[in-house]
Coordinates of all heavy atoms in Angstrom, one line a residue:
A1 N 0.9 -1.2 0.0 CA 0.0 0.0 0.0 C 0.9 1.2 0.0 O 2.0 1.2 0.4 CB -0.9 0.0 1.2
L2 N 0.3 2.3 -0.5 CA 1.0 3.7 -0.4 C 0.1 4.5 0.6 O -1.1 4.5 0.6 CB 0.9 4.3 -1.8 CG 1.6 3.6 -2.9 CD1 1.3 4.3 -4.2 CD2 3.1 3.6 -2.7
Y3 N 0.9 5.3 1.4 CA 0.3 6.0 2.4 C 0.7 7.5 2.1 O 1.8 7.8 2.0 CB 0.7 5.7 3.8 CG 0.5 4.2 4.0 CD1 1.5 3.3 3.9 CD2 -0.8 3.7 4.4 CE1 1.3 2.0 4.1 CE2 -1.0 2.3 4.6 CZ 0.1 1.5 4.4 OH -0.1 0.1 4.6
Y4 N -0.3 8.5 2.2 CA 0.1 9.9 2.0 C -0.8 10.7 2.7 O -2.0 10.5 2.9 CB 0.2 10.2 0.5 CG -1.1 10.3 -0.3 CD1 -1.6 11.6 -0.5 CD2 -1.7 9.2 -0.9 CE1 -2.8 11.7 -1.2 CE2 -2.8 9.4 -1.5 CZ -3.4 10.5 -1.7 OH -4.6 10.7 -2.4
P5 N -0.2 12.0 3.1 CA -1.1 13.0 3.8 C -1.6 13.9 2.7 O -0.9 14.1 1.7 CB 0.0 13.7 4.6 CG 1.3 13.5 3.9 CD 1.2 12.2 3.2
T6 N -2.7 14.6 3.0 CA -3.2 15.5 2.0 C -3.4 16.9 2.7 O -3.3 17.0 3.9 CB -4.7 15.1 1.5 OG1 -5.6 15.3 2.6 CG2 -4.8 13.6 1.1
S7 N -3.5 17.9 1.8 CA -3.6 19.2 2.3 C -5.0 19.5 2.7 O -5.3 20.6 3.3 CB -3.2 20.3 1.2 OG -4.0 20.1 0.1
Q8 N -6.0 18.5 2.6 CA -7.3 18.6 3.1 C -7.5 18.0 4.5 O -8.6 17.8 5.0 CB -8.3 17.9 2.1 CG -8.6 18.7 0.9 CD -7.4 18.6 -0.1 OE1 -6.8 17.5 -0.3 NE2 -7.1 19.6 -0.8
G9 N -6.3 17.6 5.1 CA -6.4 17.1 6.5 C -6.8 15.7 6.5 O -7.5 15.2 7.4
E10 N -6.2 14.8 5.5 CA -6.5 13.4 5.6 C -5.2 12.6 5.3 O -4.3 13.1 4.8 CB -7.5 13.0 4.3 CG -8.8 13.7 4.4 CD -9.6 13.5 3.2 OE1 -9.0 13.5 2.1 OE2 -10.8 13.3 3.2
V11 N -5.3 11.4 5.9 CA -4.2 10.3 5.6 C -4.9 9.3 4.7 O -6.0 8.8 5.2 CB -3.6 9.8 6.9 CG1 -2.7 8.7 6.5 CG2 -2.9 10.9 7.6
I12 N -4.4 9.0 3.6 CA -5.1 8.1 2.7 C -4.1 6.8 2.4 O -2.9 7.0 2.2 CB -5.4 8.7 1.3 CG1 -6.5 9.8 1.7 CG2 -6.0 7.8 0.4 CD1 -6.8 10.7 0.5
S13 N -4.7 5.6 2.4 CA -4.0 4.4 2.1 C -4.6 3.9 0.7 O -5.8 3.8 0.5 CB -4.3 3.3 3.1 OG -3.8 2.1 2.6
L14 N -3.6 3.8 -0.2 CA -4.1 3.4 -1.6 C -3.5 2.0 -1.9 O -2.3 1.7 -1.5 CB -3.5 4.4 -2.7 CG -4.0 5.8 -2.6 CD1 -3.2 6.5 -3.7 CD2 -5.5 5.8 -2.9
N15 N -4.2 1.2 -2.7 CA -3.7 0.0 -3.2 C -2.6 0.3 -4.2 O -2.8 1.1 -5.2 CB -4.8 -0.9 -3.9 CG -4.3 -2.2 -4.4 OD1 -3.5 -2.2 -5.3 ND2 -4.9 -3.2 -3.8
R16 N -1.4 -0.2 -4.0 CA -0.2 0.1 -4.8 C -0.5 -0.3 -6.4 O 0.0 0.4 -7.2 CB 1.0 -0.6 -4.2 CG 2.3 -0.3 -5.0 CD 3.4 -1.1 -4.5 NE 3.8 -0.8 -3.1 CZ 4.6 0.2 -2.7 NH1 5.2 0.9 -3.5 NH2 4.9 0.4 -1.4
K17 N -1.2 -1.4 -6.6 CA -1.3 -1.8 -8.0 C -2.5 -1.1 -8.7 O -2.3 -0.9 -9.9 CB -1.6 -3.4 -8.0 CG -0.3 -4.1 -7.6 CD -0.6 -5.6 -7.6 CE 0.7 -6.3 -7.1 NZ 0.6 -7.8 -7.1
T18 N -3.6 -0.9 -8.0 CA -4.8 -0.4 -8.6 C -5.0 1.1 -8.4 O -5.8 1.7 -9.1 CB -6.1 -1.2 -8.1 OG1 -6.2 -0.9 -6.8 CG2 -5.9 -2.6 -8.4
G19 N -4.5 1.6 -7.3 CA -4.8 2.9 -7.0 C -6.0 3.2 -6.2 O -6.4 4.3 -5.9
D20 N -6.8 2.1 -5.9 CA -8.0 2.2 -5.2 C -7.7 2.6 -3.8 O -6.7 2.2 -3.1 CB -8.7 0.9 -5.1 CG -9.2 0.5 -6.5 OD1 -9.4 1.4 -7.4 OD2 -9.4 -0.7 -6.7
V21 N -8.6 3.5 -3.2 CA -8.5 3.8 -1.8 C -8.9 2.7 -0.9 O -10.0 2.1 -1.1 CB -9.4 5.1 -1.5 CG1 -9.5 5.4 0.0 CG2 -9.0 6.3 -2.3
Q22 N -8.0 2.3 0.0 CA -8.2 1.2 1.0 C -8.9 1.8 2.2 O -9.8 1.1 2.8 CB -7.0 0.5 1.3 CG -6.4 -0.2 0.0 CD -5.1 -0.8 0.4 OE1 -4.2 -0.3 1.1 NE2 -4.9 -2.0 -0.1
W23 N -8.4 2.9 2.7 CA -9.0 3.6 3.8 C -8.6 5.0 3.8 O -7.6 5.3 3.1 CB -8.7 3.0 5.1 CG -7.4 2.7 5.5 CD1 -6.7 1.5 5.5 CD2 -6.4 3.6 6.0 NE1 -5.5 1.6 5.8 CE2 -5.2 2.8 6.2 CE3 -6.4 4.9 6.3 CZ2 -4.0 3.4 6.7 CZ3 -5.2 5.5 6.8 CH2 -4.0 4.8 7.0
K24 N -9.3 5.8 4.5 CA -9.1 7.3 4.6 C -9.4 7.7 6.1 O -10.4 7.4 6.6 CB -9.9 8.0 3.6 CG -9.7 9.5 3.4 CD -10.7 10.1 2.6 CE -10.7 9.6 1.2 NZ -11.6 10.4 0.3
V25 N -8.5 8.5 6.7 CA -8.6 9.1 7.9 C -8.6 10.6 7.9 O -7.6 11.2 7.4 CB -7.6 8.5 8.9 CG1 -7.7 9.1 10.3 CG2 -7.7 7.0 9.0
K26 N -9.6 11.2 8.5 CA -9.6 12.7 8.6 C -8.9 13.1 9.9 O -9.1 12.6 11.0 CB -11.0 13.2 8.6 CG -11.1 14.6 8.7 CD -11.0 15.3 7.4 CE -11.3 16.7 7.4 NZ -10.6 17.6 6.5
T27 N -7.9 14.0 9.8 CA -7.2 14.5 11.1 C -8.2 15.4 11.7 O -9.1 16.0 11.2 CB -5.9 15.2 10.6 OG1 -6.2 16.3 9.8 CG2 -4.9 14.3 10.0
E28 N -7.9 15.6 13.1 CA -8.8 16.4 13.8 C -8.3 17.9 14.0 O -9.1 18.8 14.1 CB -8.9 15.8 15.2 CG -9.5 14.4 15.3 CD -9.4 13.8 16.7 OE1 -9.5 14.5 17.7 OE2 -9.3 12.5 16.7
H29 N -7.0 18.1 13.8 CA -6.4 19.4 14.1 C -5.4 19.7 13.1 O -4.2 19.6 13.4 CB -5.9 19.5 15.5 CG -6.9 19.0 16.6 ND1 -7.9 19.9 16.9 CD2 -7.0 18.0 17.4 CE1 -8.6 19.3 17.9 NE2 -8.1 18.1 18.2
G30 N -5.8 20.2 12.0 CA -4.9 20.7 11.0 C -4.5 19.6 10.0 O -5.1 18.6 9.8
I31 N -3.4 19.9 9.3 CA -3.0 19.0 8.2 C -1.9 18.0 8.7 O -1.1 18.4 9.6 CB -2.5 19.8 7.0 CG1 -1.3 20.6 7.3 CG2 -3.6 20.5 6.3 CD1 -0.6 21.2 6.0
P32 N -1.8 16.8 8.2 CA -0.8 15.9 8.6 C 0.6 16.1 8.1 O 0.7 16.6 6.9 CB -1.3 14.5 8.1 CG -2.3 14.9 7.0 CD -2.8 16.2 7.2
T33 N 1.5 15.8 8.8 CA 3.0 15.9 8.4 C 3.3 14.8 7.5 O 2.5 13.8 7.2 CB 4.0 15.9 9.6 OG1 3.8 14.6 10.2 CG2 3.7 17.1 10.5
Q34 N 4.5 14.7 7.0 CA 5.0 13.5 6.3 C 4.8 12.3 7.2 O 5.0 12.3 8.4 CB 6.5 13.8 6.0 CG 7.2 12.6 5.3 CD 8.7 12.9 5.1 OE1 9.1 14.0 5.0 NE2 9.5 11.9 5.1
I35 N 4.4 11.1 6.5 CA 4.2 10.0 7.3 C 5.4 9.1 7.3 O 6.2 8.9 6.4 CB 3.0 9.1 6.5 CG1 1.8 9.9 6.5 CG2 2.8 7.8 7.2 CD1 0.7 9.4 5.7
S36 N 5.7 8.6 8.5 CA 6.8 7.6 8.7 C 6.2 6.3 9.0 O 5.2 6.1 9.7 CB 7.6 8.0 9.9 OG 8.3 9.3 9.7
V37 N 6.7 5.2 8.3 CA 6.3 3.9 8.5 C 7.3 3.0 9.2 O 8.5 3.1 8.9 CB 6.1 3.2 7.0 CG1 5.5 1.8 7.1 CG2 5.1 4.1 6.2
Q38 N 6.8 2.3 10.2 CA 7.7 1.4 11.0 C 6.9 0.1 11.3 O 5.9 0.1 12.0 CB 8.1 2.1 12.2 CG 9.1 1.4 13.1 CD 10.5 1.5 12.4 OE1 11.0 0.4 12.2 NE2 11.1 2.6 12.1
K39 N 7.3 -1.0 10.6 CA 6.6 -2.3 10.7 C 5.2 -2.1 10.3 O 4.8 -1.7 9.2 CB 6.8 -2.8 12.1 CG 8.2 -3.2 12.5 CD 8.5 -3.8 13.7 CE 9.9 -4.0 13.9 NZ 10.3 -4.6 15.2
D40 N 4.2 -2.4 11.2 CA 2.7 -2.3 10.9 C 2.1 -1.0 11.4 O 0.9 -0.9 11.6 CB 2.0 -3.5 11.6 CG 2.4 -4.8 11.0 OD1 2.8 -4.8 9.9 OD2 2.4 -5.8 11.8
L41 N 3.0 0.0 11.7 CA 2.5 1.3 12.2 C 2.8 2.5 11.3 O 3.8 2.5 10.5 CB 3.1 1.6 13.5 CG 2.9 0.5 14.6 CD1 3.8 0.8 15.8 CD2 1.5 0.2 14.9
L42 N 1.9 3.5 11.3 CA 2.2 4.8 10.7 C 2.2 5.9 11.6 O 1.4 5.9 12.5 CB 1.0 5.0 9.7 CG 0.6 4.1 8.6 CD1 -0.6 4.5 7.8 CD2 1.8 3.8 7.6
F43 N 3.2 6.7 11.5 CA 3.4 7.8 12.4 C 3.3 9.1 11.7 O 3.9 9.3 10.6 CB 4.8 7.7 13.1 CG 5.0 6.5 13.9 CD1 5.5 5.4 13.2 CD2 4.9 6.5 15.3 CE1 5.7 4.2 14.0 CE2 5.1 5.4 16.0 CZ 5.5 4.2 15.3
F44 N 2.6 10.1 12.2 CA 2.5 11.4 11.7 C 2.1 12.4 12.7 O 1.6 12.1 13.8 CB 1.7 11.5 10.4 CG 0.2 11.4 10.7 CD1 -0.6 12.5 11.0 CD2 -0.4 10.1 10.8 CE1 -1.9 12.3 11.3 CE2 -1.8 10.0 11.1 CZ -2.5 11.1 11.3
G45 N 2.3 13.7 12.4 CA 1.9 14.7 13.4 C 0.8 15.6 12.7 O 0.8 15.6 11.5
E46 N 0.0 16.2 13.5 CA -1.0 17.1 13.0 C -0.4 18.6 13.2 O 0.1 18.9 14.3 CB -2.3 17.0 13.8 CG -3.0 15.7 13.7 CD -4.2 15.6 14.6 OE1 -4.0 15.9 15.8 OE2 -5.3 15.2 14.1
S47 N -0.6 19.4 12.2 CA 0.0 20.7 12.3 C -0.5 21.6 13.4 O 0.2 22.4 13.9 CB -0.3 21.5 11.0 OG -1.7 21.7 10.7
Q48 N -1.8 21.2 13.9 CA -2.2 22.0 15.1 C -2.7 21.1 16.2 O -3.5 21.4 17.0 CB -3.4 22.9 14.7 CG -3.0 23.9 13.7 CD -4.2 24.6 13.1 OE1 -5.3 24.4 13.4 NE2 -3.9 25.5 12.1
G49 N -2.1 19.9 16.2 CA -2.6 18.9 17.2 C -1.5 17.9 17.7 O -0.5 18.3 18.0
S50 N -1.8 16.6 17.6 CA -1.1 15.6 18.3 C -0.2 14.8 17.3 O -0.3 14.9 16.1 CB -2.1 14.6 18.9 OG -2.9 15.2 19.8
L51 N 0.7 14.0 17.9 CA 1.4 13.0 17.3 C 0.4 11.8 17.2 O -0.2 11.5 18.2 CB 2.7 12.5 18.1 CG 3.3 11.2 17.7 CD1 4.1 11.4 16.3 CD2 4.3 10.7 18.8
K52 N 0.3 11.2 16.1 CA -0.7 10.1 15.9 C 0.1 8.9 15.5 O 1.0 8.9 14.7 CB -1.7 10.4 14.8 CG -2.6 11.6 15.2 CD -3.7 11.3 16.0 CE -4.6 12.4 16.2 NZ -5.8 12.1 17.0
V53 N -0.4 7.7 16.0 CA 0.1 6.4 15.5 C -1.1 5.6 15.0 O -2.1 5.4 15.8 CB 0.7 5.6 16.7 CG1 1.3 4.3 16.2 CG2 1.9 6.4 17.3
L54 N -1.1 5.2 13.8 CA -2.2 4.4 13.1 C -1.8 3.0 12.8 O -0.6 2.8 12.5 CB -2.7 5.2 11.9 CG -3.1 6.6 12.0 CD1 -3.6 7.0 10.5 CD2 -4.1 6.8 13.0
S55 N -2.8 2.2 12.6 CA -2.5 0.8 12.1 C -2.5 1.0 10.6 O -3.3 1.6 10.0 CB -3.6 -0.1 12.5 OG -3.7 -1.3 11.8
K56 N -1.5 0.3 10.0 CA -1.3 0.3 8.5 C -2.5 -0.4 7.9 O -2.9 0.0 6.8 CB 0.0 -0.4 8.1 CG 1.2 0.5 8.2 CD 2.5 -0.2 7.8 CE 2.5 -1.1 6.7 NZ 3.7 -1.7 6.4
S57 N -3.0 -1.4 8.5 CA -4.0 -2.2 7.8 C -5.4 -1.6 7.7 O -6.1 -1.8 6.8 CB -4.2 -3.6 8.6 OG -4.7 -3.4 10.0
D58 N -5.8 -0.8 8.8 CA -7.1 -0.2 8.7 C -7.2 1.3 9.1 O -8.4 1.8 9.1 CB -8.1 -1.0 9.6 CG -7.7 -1.1 11.0 OD1 -6.8 -0.4 11.4 OD2 -8.2 -1.9 11.8
G59 N -6.1 1.9 9.4 CA -6.1 3.3 9.7 C -6.6 3.7 11.2 O -6.8 4.8 11.5
K60 N -6.9 2.6 12.0 CA -7.3 2.9 13.3 C -6.2 3.6 14.2 O -5.0 3.2 14.1 CB -7.6 1.6 14.0 CG -9.1 1.2 14.0 CD -9.4 0.1 14.9 CE -10.8 -0.2 14.8 NZ -11.2 -1.5 15.4
T61 N -6.6 4.6 15.0 CA -5.7 5.3 15.9 C -5.3 4.3 17.0 O -6.2 3.8 17.7 CB -6.3 6.6 16.4 OG1 -6.7 7.4 15.3 CG2 -5.4 7.3 17.3
L62 N -4.0 4.1 17.2 CA -3.5 3.3 18.3 C -3.0 4.0 19.4 O -3.0 3.6 20.5 CB -2.5 2.3 17.7 CG -3.0 1.3 16.5 CD1 -1.8 0.6 16.0 CD2 -4.1 0.5 17.0
A63 N -2.5 5.2 19.1 CA -1.9 6.1 20.2 C -1.8 7.5 19.8 O -1.8 7.8 18.6 CB -0.5 5.6 20.5
T64 N -1.9 8.4 20.7 CA -1.7 9.8 20.4 C -0.8 10.4 21.5 O -0.7 9.9 22.7 CB -3.0 10.6 20.4 OG1 -3.6 10.5 21.7 CG2 -3.9 10.1 19.4
F65 N -0.1 11.6 21.2 CA 0.7 12.3 22.2 C 0.5 13.8 21.8 O 0.6 14.2 20.7 CB 2.1 11.9 22.1 CG 3.0 12.8 23.0 CD1 3.0 12.7 24.3 CD2 3.8 13.7 22.3 CE1 3.8 13.5 25.1 CE2 4.7 14.6 23.1 CZ 4.6 14.5 24.5
E66 N 0.1 14.5 22.8 CA -0.1 16.0 22.7 C 1.1 16.8 23.1 O 1.2 17.0 24.3 CB -1.4 16.4 23.4 CG -1.7 17.9 23.4 CD -1.9 18.4 21.9 OE1 -2.8 17.8 21.3 OE2 -1.3 19.3 21.6
P67 N 1.8 17.3 22.2 CA 3.0 18.1 22.6 C 2.8 19.6 22.9 O 3.5 20.3 23.4 CB 4.0 18.0 21.4 CG 3.1 17.9 20.3 CD 1.9 17.1 20.7
G68 N 1.6 20.0 22.4 CA 1.2 21.5 22.6 C 1.6 22.2 21.3 O 2.7 22.1 20.8
M69 N 0.7 23.0 20.7 CA 1.0 23.8 19.5 C 1.2 23.1 18.3 O 1.7 23.6 17.3 CB 2.1 24.8 19.8 CG 1.8 25.8 21.0 SD 0.5 27.0 20.6 CE 1.4 28.0 19.5
G70 N 0.9 21.8 18.2 CA 1.0 21.0 16.9 C 2.4 20.6 16.7 O 3.4 20.8 17.4
I71 N 2.6 19.9 15.5 CA 3.8 19.4 15.0 C 3.9 19.8 13.5 O 3.0 19.5 12.7 CB 3.9 17.8 15.1 CG1 3.7 17.4 16.6 CG2 5.1 17.3 14.5 CD1 3.5 15.9 16.7
L72 N 5.1 20.5 13.2 CA 5.3 20.9 11.8 C 6.4 20.1 11.2 O 6.5 20.1 9.9 CB 5.6 22.4 11.8 CG 4.4 23.2 12.4 CD1 4.9 24.7 12.4 CD2 3.1 23.1 11.6
S73 N 7.3 19.6 11.9 CA 8.5 18.9 11.4 C 8.1 17.5 11.0 O 7.2 16.8 11.5 CB 9.6 18.9 12.4 OG 9.3 18.0 13.5
P74 N 9.0 16.9 10.0 CA 8.8 15.5 9.8 C 9.2 14.8 11.0 O 10.0 15.3 11.8 CB 9.8 15.3 8.6 CG 10.1 16.6 8.1 CD 9.9 17.6 9.2
L75 N 8.7 13.6 11.2 CA 9.1 12.7 12.3 C 10.3 11.9 12.0 O 10.5 11.4 10.8 CB 8.0 11.8 12.7 CG 6.6 12.4 13.0 CD1 5.6 11.4 13.3 CD2 6.7 13.5 14.1
S76 N 11.2 11.6 12.9 CA 12.3 10.7 12.8 C 12.0 9.5 13.6 O 11.9 9.6 14.8 CB 13.6 11.4 13.2 OG 14.7 10.4 13.1
V77 N 11.6 8.4 13.0 CA 11.2 7.2 13.8 C 12.2 6.1 13.6 O 12.7 5.7 12.6 CB 9.9 6.7 13.2 CG1 9.4 5.5 14.0 CG2 8.8 7.8 13.3
S78 N 12.7 5.6 14.8 CA 13.5 4.4 14.8 C 12.7 3.3 15.5 O 11.6 3.5 15.9 CB 14.8 4.7 15.5 OG 14.6 4.9 16.9
E79 N 13.4 2.2 15.8 CA 12.6 1.1 16.3 C 12.0 1.4 17.7 O 11.0 0.9 18.0 CB 13.6 -0.2 16.5 CG 12.8 -1.4 16.7 CD 13.7 -2.6 16.4 OE1 14.3 -2.7 15.4 OE2 13.8 -3.5 17.3
N80 N 12.7 2.2 18.5 CA 12.2 2.4 19.9 C 12.0 3.9 20.2 O 11.6 4.2 21.3 CB 13.3 1.9 20.9 CG 13.3 0.4 20.8 OD1 12.3 -0.4 20.6 ND2 14.5 -0.2 20.9
Q81 N 12.3 4.8 19.3 CA 12.2 6.2 19.6 C 11.6 7.0 18.4 O 11.7 6.7 17.2 CB 13.5 6.7 19.9 CG 14.1 6.1 21.2 CD 15.5 6.7 21.6 OE1 16.0 7.6 21.0 NE2 15.9 6.2 22.7
I82 N 10.9 8.1 18.8 CA 10.4 9.1 17.8 C 10.9 10.5 18.2 O 10.8 10.9 19.3 CB 8.9 9.1 17.9 CG1 8.3 7.7 17.6 CG2 8.3 10.0 16.8 CD1 6.8 7.6 17.9
Y83 N 11.5 11.1 17.2 CA 11.9 12.5 17.4 C 11.2 13.5 16.5 O 10.9 13.2 15.4 CB 13.5 12.7 17.1 CG 14.3 11.8 18.0 CD1 14.8 10.5 17.5 CD2 14.8 12.3 19.2 CE1 15.6 9.8 18.3 CE2 15.6 11.5 20.0 CZ 16.0 10.3 19.6 OH 16.8 9.6 20.3
F84 N 10.8 14.7 17.1 CA 10.2 15.7 16.2 C 10.3 17.1 17.0 O 10.6 17.1 18.1 CB 8.7 15.3 16.0 CG 7.8 15.3 17.2 CD1 7.2 16.4 17.7 CD2 7.7 14.1 17.9 CE1 6.4 16.3 18.8 CE2 6.9 14.0 19.1 CZ 6.2 15.2 19.5
V85 N 10.0 18.1 16.3 CA 10.0 19.4 16.8 C 8.6 19.9 16.8 O 7.8 19.8 15.9 CB 10.8 20.4 16.0 CG1 10.7 21.8 16.6 CG2 12.3 19.9 16.0
S86 N 8.1 20.3 18.1 CA 6.7 20.8 18.2 C 6.6 22.2 17.7 O 7.5 22.9 17.4 CB 6.2 20.8 19.7 OG 6.9 21.8 20.4
G87 N 5.3 22.6 17.6 CA 5.1 24.0 17.1 C 5.5 25.1 18.1 O 5.7 26.2 17.7
E88 N 5.8 24.7 19.3 CA 6.5 25.6 20.3 C 8.0 25.6 20.2 O 8.6 26.3 20.9 CB 6.0 25.1 21.7 CG 4.6 25.3 22.0 CD 4.2 24.8 23.4 OE1 4.7 23.7 23.8 OE2 3.3 25.5 23.9
G89 N 8.5 24.8 19.3 CA 10.0 24.8 19.1 C 10.7 23.8 20.0 O 11.9 23.9 20.2
N90 N 10.0 22.9 20.7 CA 10.6 22.0 21.6 C 10.9 20.7 20.9 O 10.1 20.2 20.1 CB 9.7 21.6 22.7 CG 9.4 22.8 23.6 OD1 10.3 23.6 23.9 ND2 8.2 23.0 24.0
L91 N 12.1 20.1 21.2 CA 12.5 18.8 20.6 C 12.0 17.7 21.5 O 12.3 17.7 22.7 CB 14.0 18.8 20.4 CG 14.6 17.4 20.0 CD1 14.1 17.1 18.5 CD2 16.1 17.5 20.0
Y92 N 11.2 16.8 20.9 CA 10.8 15.7 21.7 C 11.5 14.4 21.2 O 11.8 14.3 20.0 CB 9.3 15.5 21.6 CG 8.5 16.5 22.3 CD1 8.2 17.7 21.8 CD2 8.0 16.2 23.6 CE1 7.4 18.7 22.5 CE2 7.3 17.1 24.3 CZ 7.0 18.4 23.8 OH 6.2 19.3 24.5

């Protein structure tokens, strides 16, 4: 599958071969950042909200973290850690 954020505040999963939409998730607070993929998980930030962790298979939200003032930077995701800069300029 292909996963991408939209400027309309959505994260979309597309079938790689057909281009058909598999699922679509609307963000709650702003537009999504670049998506990072790690195993069966998708990670992204909302420009005016939280860090989100979704299931690759169905787009269900598995975890959130609210850093305050949103997330504008791309996420750096490794096996055990996530790094990003919040809208307040704090490194997490």
Side-chain angles (χ1 to χ4, degrees):
L2 299 172
Y3 308 98
Y4 72 96
T6 72
S7 58
Q8 286 78 39
E10 298 172 322
V11 173
I12 298 176
S13 172
L14 295 176
N15 180 296
R16 185 182 295 268
K17 292 182 181 178
T18 66
D20 293 337
V21 174
Q22 296 176 318
W23 53 258
K24 186 186 298 188
V25 173
K26 181 80 172 151
T27 58
E28 297 174 34
H29 305 287
I31 60 173
T33 63
Q34 176 181 331
I35 297 170
S36 295
V37 180
Q38 191 67 241
K39 297 184 182 178
D40 294 331
L41 304 174
L42 303 176
F43 299 84
F44 68 92
E46 296 174 311
S47 62
Q48 299 171 1
S50 305
L51 168 72
K52 298 280 190 176
V53 182
L54 305 183
S55 166
K56 279 175 43 176
S57 63
D58 58 12
K60 266 194 179 163
T61 300
L62 302 175
T64 62
F65 171 72
E66 177 59 55
M69 299 291 287
I71 299 171
L72 301 175
S73 73
L75 307 178
S76 177
V77 180
S78 67
E79 195 165 310
N80 295 320
Q81 297 183 356
I82 303 167
Y83 297 97
F84 64 90
V85 177
S86 74
E88 293 178 321
N90 295 318
L91 174 64
Y92 286 86

